[in-house]
Amino acid sequence: MTTPAGAVAARRHNALRSSRAFPATTMITVYLVLLLAIPSNVGFAPMGSLGRPSMLWGLALLVFWVLSRLQATDLAVRAVRQPVRLAMGALVVVALVSYAAAMLRGQPMDQVSPAMTSLLRLLSWTGVLLVTVEGVRTWNDIVLLLRRLTIAGGLLAALGLAQFATGQTLTEFFASIPGLSASAGGIDARGTFVRPSGTASHPLEYGVALSAILPVAIATAVSRGFRGARGGSAALWWLPVVLISASSLVAVSRSALIGVALAIVLMIPALPRGARLPAAVGGGLLAAGVVLAVPGLFWTVFGLFAATGSDPSSVSRTNGLERAPDFIATSPLFGAGFGTFLPRYYIFDNQWVLITVELGLVGAAALAALFLGAIWSALRAGRGAGDERVALAGHALAVSLVCIAVLLAFFDGLSFPIAGGLLFLIAGLCGALRTVGLTSFGHSRAAERVARDDEEDVRSGAVRARGLRPVRARRDVSGGL
């Protein structure tokens, strides 16, 4: 098979310089472990809120990306346009402008440090997104990261189930490690039930993590690790799906249930027709089994939704929407400054409102563009590649971002490491999938077309060498050849 002129291997395409010692997949996996395995309220004591391991590693990724871009060489291939990268750049620029404007206006001393911390956290997430978009270059790398994300989600859900059963956080030993300290966080209680949080600092953050990973876990299970019939035991890949679903039920959280239900409903169209009914029946049986195994759980969850209009959290969100225009009006375009709106002014249980207050309408539009650009990239990747596995992965990643976008309306998600980290990691995977779909699979199809054309030219040349005219097949009146 010949290769079209100008085509290069997907591993070399328009991205970070290859490194055997530090491949992008390994660096992203390290970030995933630091993000989900270490409690988000644990950090290096001398550095305070800046000492979270996942945040520091994200900043290291940003430095690595900058150095790689400075050393990059031109390749004989057209660059893939990335809406995700453009939207991320716009969000960072707006945050820097907003921060500069806030500092020029003058800020109380206790607001300067939180603003700087928020800006560094955004730069850390930027490093994660850019290394993922430009460093993950092959379909095998995408599959590897999706499997690892599925396994990590299953382990996180298993920890939550263990917390629900024992009433203990089971992560206290991290605080006893020399140099590390733990801030407030851990499990909570609602009624007579424990609200597990896994390694998250709050059950809401835990619910976002479960909802974001569940679509990827479902896609991995349906495709047997994206290997089809050769993927080994299907039960092994369905185990994380079962654990995540069960853990979301015992989380005693409206947000977790809404997110998981949304993930399941939106994933059904992507499933093979023969798997839709068994998946729906299996999900119903799992929910019924958990409810029967935990007496009183059904009525507790039912009471949460029945009292939606009167419980304190719902009232707080409603009042926040009424108060938001007053805060936005002070600086409608670029906001009050990223990270400067402290809880002492008001607590918005809505990240979309909070980002509008802090970064203005321009910042909210940039964040919305990041979501839309990533979702579009993921959905278009499958069409561009013409491969069912890529389409399934793209659909799952798009659903994950939809779930995160919806749940950000229930709490200030970007103030929590796991929720924000998963958002930008999954957005980066959407961009990487777009690159892979347009290069690896696109080059393969182009090479096949060139090979067919070459074979036709050789066949025609052989006929002409014999002094004969090449005869093309002619379609008869019946429509056949």
Side-chain angles (χ1 to χ4, degrees):
M1 181 180 296
T2 60
T3 304
V8 298
R11 182 171 175 79
R12 295 177 50 218
H13 171 67
N14 183 38
L16 304 180
R17 185 183 295 273
S18 177
S19 172
R20 291 173 178 252
F22 299 102
T25 51
T26 300
M27 303 179 76
I28 297 302
T29 301
V30 171
Y31 178 78
L32 185 63
V33 171
L34 295 176
L35 182 68
L36 298 181
I38 299 179
S40 58
N41 62 335
V42 171
F44 295 104
M47 302 183 67
S49 58
L50 292 174
R52 291 190 174 92
S54 61
M55 177 179 174
L56 296 176
W57 187 251
L59 292 173
L61 293 181
L62 180 61
V63 173
F64 174 77
W65 178 82
V66 171
L67 294 177
S68 299
R69 295 298 296 177
L70 292 175
Q71 301 175 26
T73 57
D74 294 332
L75 298 176
V77 65
R78 183 175 61 87
V80 175
R81 294 180 180 178
Q82 288 288 359
V84 176
R85 188 167 49 205
L86 294 175
M88 189 72 234
L91 182 61
V92 172
V93 169
V94 172
L96 291 174
V97 171
S98 178
Y99 174 82
M103 294 301 107
L104 290 174
R105 288 194 301 266
Q107 299 292 324
M109 289 300 298
D110 61 346
Q111 290 185 187
V112 176
S113 179
M116 178 60 72
T117 301
S118 298
L119 192 59
L120 290 175
R121 187 168 60 245
L122 179 62
L123 293 177
S124 173
W125 290 332
T126 303
V128 174
L129 184 143
L130 291 176
V131 170
T132 305
V133 170
E134 299 191 7
V136 179
R137 311 172 192 178
T138 68
W139 170 243
N140 289 338
D141 290 341
I142 294 284
V143 169
L144 186 64
L145 289 175
L146 293 180
R147 290 177 193 157
R148 290 174 178 175
L149 184 60
T150 298
I151 295 172
L155 294 175
L156 182 65
L159 175 60
L161 292 173
Q163 291 175 340
F164 179 81
T166 63
Q168 304 293 325
T169 61
L170 304 177
T171 58
E172 299 90 346
F173 65 92
F174 281 99
S176 62
I177 298 176
L180 297 182
S181 63
S183 58
I187 60 175
D188 196 359
R190 175 168 279 172
T192 59
F193 295 100
V194 172
R195 299 179 68 190
S197 59
T199 55
S201 57
H202 194 277
L204 279 173
E205 184 183 21
Y206 181 63
V208 170
L210 296 180
S211 303
I213 297 175
L214 181 58
V216 176
I218 293 175
T220 305
V222 168
S223 61
R224 298 192 178 194
F226 293 98
R227 292 174 178 168
R230 300 180 292 105
S233 175
L236 182 63
W237 291 112
W238 279 106
L239 180 59
V241 177
V242 173
L243 292 174
I244 293 172
S245 301
S247 187
S248 65
L249 290 172
V250 302
V252 198
S253 169
R254 280 188 299 261
S255 300
L257 291 174
I258 291 173
V260 169
L262 185 64
I264 294 174
V265 170
L266 294 180
M267 280 301 296
I268 288 179
L271 301 181
R273 292 186 177 181
R276 295 175 185 176
L277 181 60
V281 173
L285 293 176
L286 175 63
V290 173
V291 169
L292 293 175
V294 184
L297 179 62
F298 174 79
W299 293 111
T300 301
V301 173
F302 178 79
L304 292 176
F305 288 94
T308 298
S310 59
D311 68 298
S313 60
S314 299
V315 173
S316 174
R317 293 186 181 97
T318 303
N319 294 338
L321 293 176
E322 296 175 355
R323 294 286 305 277
D326 297 333
F327 294 105
I328 296 174
T330 59
S331 183
L333 289 181
F334 292 98
F338 193 51
T340 62
F341 194 85
L342 301 182
R344 69 165 178 257
Y345 298 120
Y346 198 84
I347 298 178
F348 289 110
D349 290 326
N350 187 322
Q351 182 60 59
W352 291 105
V353 173
L354 182 59
I355 201 71
T356 307
V357 172
E358 291 188 336
L359 292 183
L361 298 174
V362 178
L367 181 61
L370 177 65
F371 275 102
L372 295 176
I375 292 172
W376 180 85
S377 297
L379 295 178
R380 291 288 298 178
R383 298 180 182 178
D387 187 278
E388 293 182 356
R389 299 169 302 166
V390 180
L392 179 61
H395 187 97
L397 292 172
V399 171
S400 295
L401 287 180
V402 170
C403 293
I404 295 176
V406 171
L407 292 184
L408 287 184
F410 294 93
F411 82 123
D412 50 333
L414 295 186
S415 301
F416 296 85
I418 293 180
L422 285 177
L423 162 60
F424 291 95
L425 173 59
I426 293 174
L429 285 173
C430 292
L433 189 65
R434 170 174 166 78
T435 299
V436 170
L438 293 179
T439 55
S440 297
F441 292 90
H443 288 161
S444 297
R445 293 196 306 274
E448 292 174 359
R449 289 195 299 269
V450 171
R452 288 196 299 268
D453 293 342
D454 289 346
E455 185 179 353
E456 180 66 24
D457 292 341
V458 170
R459 193 181 301 116
S460 300
V463 171
R464 291 191 182 95
R466 298 189 183 99
L468 302 175
R469 291 182 59 188
V471 180
R472 296 189 178 273
R474 192 176 295 174
R475 186 177 300 272
D476 60 23
V477 293
S478 64
L481 287 176

